[in-house]
Amino acid sequence: MSITGIARKFFAPRWRELERHNNEAEALQREVLSRLVSHARDTEWGRYHHFADMKTYDDFVRCNPVTDYEQLKESIDRMRRGEADILWPGRVKWYAKSSGTTNDKSKFIPVSKDGLKRLHYKGGSDVVAMYLRNNPQSRMFDGRGLILGGSHQSNYNLPGSLVGDLSAILIENINPVVNCFRVPKKETALLSDFEVKRDRIAREAMTKNVTNLSGVPSWMLSVLNRVMELSGKTHLEEVWPNLEVFFHGGVAFTPYREQYQQLITSPKMHYMETYNASEGFFGIQDDPNDKSMLLMLDYDCFYEFQELGKEEIVPLWGVQPGKNYAMLITTSCGLWRYMIGDTVQFTSTNPYKFIISGRTKSFINAFGEELIVDNAEQGLAYACQQTGAQVLEYTAAPVFMDAKAKCRHQWLIEFATPPEDLQRFAHLLDTHLQELNSDYEAKRYKDITLQHLEIIKARPNLFNDWLKSKGKLGGQHKVPRLSNSREIMEQLLQLND
């Protein structure tokens, strides 16, 4: 029996457990909430919010305010300095460094031992379980997994305490057995200089039997292109003939899909999306024919949702398909009713499946058009399909009024393959956005409120250069797609000159 065959027996019991997601969703979530509240009752947060007296979800809502990073920052900083039993029992030694807030360059998300085991690693394990269930012929464990990671550093010089990319924390604490099935070496994976790391990863991996890839699509593509440069091959399966799957997350895959399909032409190649963030692991694409993801309900995460534009917050069993919701999470990392900043749209409630529709702060609504990231991704995919273009990176922002008193959306796009006619591409994007979004269509009516969008071609590597200037090259960092202000756009345009 192959190593993968042995692994399949290990994962098989989980296949049966996952069936509870189909018809016991509410029960699973109530169990999670009860467990989290019970475990944290003697923390500072738990005592202040009367966890000992809490019996129901309504009690939880009544006693706990909605939070965001600003409201938890002081408590998190005390935890970072070594204080115990603040937001979660014991001392939390690891902190995932995430993109910042209005007032800070970075957020530092606690990663407790419980959260590491029952939220982050459990998600990674379930990805493999679902993939093996859907692909009986898989031989992924008979080779190596190329797993990209970020870097970390000491946290306030406290012994054993680290702050850095979540991926680096996961690699640092991973079961040593897993290292037998992955590349690159740990020292390489944790390098902070992405340009140096990219070259070393490519050199270490290209001679191995790589069967699976895991990482953010943009950074993985950069590494794979370096592999192709060094190998001199035309397609990736010439380097790794047994490559069969890419587990991807962090950014939408749509802009990169065609580039991967050109790079990897093997018919046995699979792609599987995950929704994992610094704050937790939330969703997995369990059906390769369905782009939506299954919401993971039995991890250490209790979910709540707020429909955009509404005040009411509902638990999972109160959501409706087709509506855009901001997501709130309560986790074993000490985040309580925490507004994560992502928006989701449910495609099904039996089981609960969803797509990521955008960010609560990543949209354009300067003129009432309510353009979200999902609209942008679909619009670009359509324009690319019609013109043969390929988009590598992009961002968009409003032009509130130009010298002719005209308002419009301005798109800055770095093309892997530019369209022959940029104006036609812009027209296709603009018209498809109107088909996707009735608010955008209304504002575009006869060019009265909003004029035709503008596209500016970005020079090669513009977005990477911008990320590098911010100290965010590599890891889990990503380019903001849509913004209601022009701050990021103006920075990029300056570098584009």
Side-chain angles (χ1 to χ4, degrees), residues 357-359 362 371-378 394 481-482:
S357 54
R359 296 277 296 170
S362 185
L371 190 74
I372 61 175
V373 172
D374 188 55
N375 299 154
E377 300 286 354
Q378 290 190 54
Y394 74 91
R481 296 308 195 190
L482 304 179

Side-chain angles (χ1 to χ4, degrees), residues 196-307:
V196 172
K197 177 158 68 176
R198 170 181 179 260
D199 183 70
R200 291 192 186 177
I201 291 174
R203 292 180 186 277
E204 288 181 28
M206 61 188 292
T207 58
K208 302 294 192 297
N209 177 26
V210 172
T211 61
N212 59 97
L213 312 171
S214 299
V216 177
S218 52
W219 302 123
M220 182 62 77
L221 188 62
S222 181
V223 170
L224 298 183
N225 283 332
R226 182 59 180 152
V227 169
M228 301 308 293
E229 291 170 6
L230 292 170
S231 68
K233 303 295 185 182
T234 304
H235 298 111
L236 199 60
E237 60 265 32
E238 297 175 68
V239 182
W240 298 320
N242 298 313
L243 181 65
E244 60 177 86
V245 61
F246 178 24
F247 304 113
H248 59 86
V251 299
F253 192 54
T254 304
Y256 305 98
R257 183 177 298 277
E258 189 170 342
Q259 294 168 72
Y260 274 91
Q261 290 175 342
Q262 289 181 359
L263 183 64
I264 308 168
T265 59
S266 169
K268 69 179 182 181
M269 186 64 186
H270 302 90
Y271 298 90
M272 192 168 176
E273 185 173 8
T274 64
Y275 179 17
N276 54 320
S278 299
E279 295 85 355
F281 202 118
F282 310 121
I284 301 172
Q285 183 183 8
D286 66 326
D287 181 350
N289 298 313
D290 182 357
K291 74 171 187 175
S292 60
M293 289 180 277
L294 180 70
L295 190 68
M296 306 313 297
L297 304 179
D298 59 354
Y299 298 179
D300 272 4
C301 184
F302 180 78
Y303 302 96
E304 294 175 276
F305 301 89
Q306 182 177 31
E307 187 179 349

Side-chain angles (χ1 to χ4, degrees), residues 393-395 410-413 456 458 462-463 489 492-493 496:
E393 298 286 359
Y394 74 91
T395 194
Q410 188 176 65
W411 294 65
L412 182 61
I413 302 178
I456 298 174
L462 170 67
F463 289 89
M489 179 66 80
L492 285 160
L493 288 175
N496 200 43

Side-chain angles (χ1 to χ4, degrees), residues 88-125:
W88 192 251
R91 286 186 173 86
V92 177
K93 293 185 176 182
W94 307 303
Y95 296 86
K97 190 175 181 181
S98 184
S99 52
T101 64
T102 304
N103 301 318
D104 294 283
K105 182 178 179 180
S106 299
K107 294 184 291 190
F108 299 92
I109 306 300
V111 181
S112 69
K113 288 183 179 179
D114 292 319
L116 196 65
K117 179 181 178 181
R118 297 203 296 263
L119 193 53
H120 293 290
Y121 284 145
K122 194 167 183 179
S125 176

Side-chain angles (χ1 to χ4, degrees), residues 57-94:
Y57 169 67
D58 290 338
D59 292 341
F60 177 71
V61 171
R62 185 169 55 253
C63 295
N64 281 272
V66 172
T67 66
D68 59 19
Y69 187 77
E70 292 298 324
Q71 290 158 307
L72 297 182
K73 184 174 71 171
E74 183 178 340
S75 295
I76 291 173
D77 196 59
R78 289 170 56 202
M79 294 166 66
R80 287 185 62 201
R81 294 178 186 277
E83 291 192 47
D85 303 320
I86 305 298
L87 296 173
W88 192 251
R91 286 186 173 86
V92 177
K93 293 185 176 182
W94 307 303

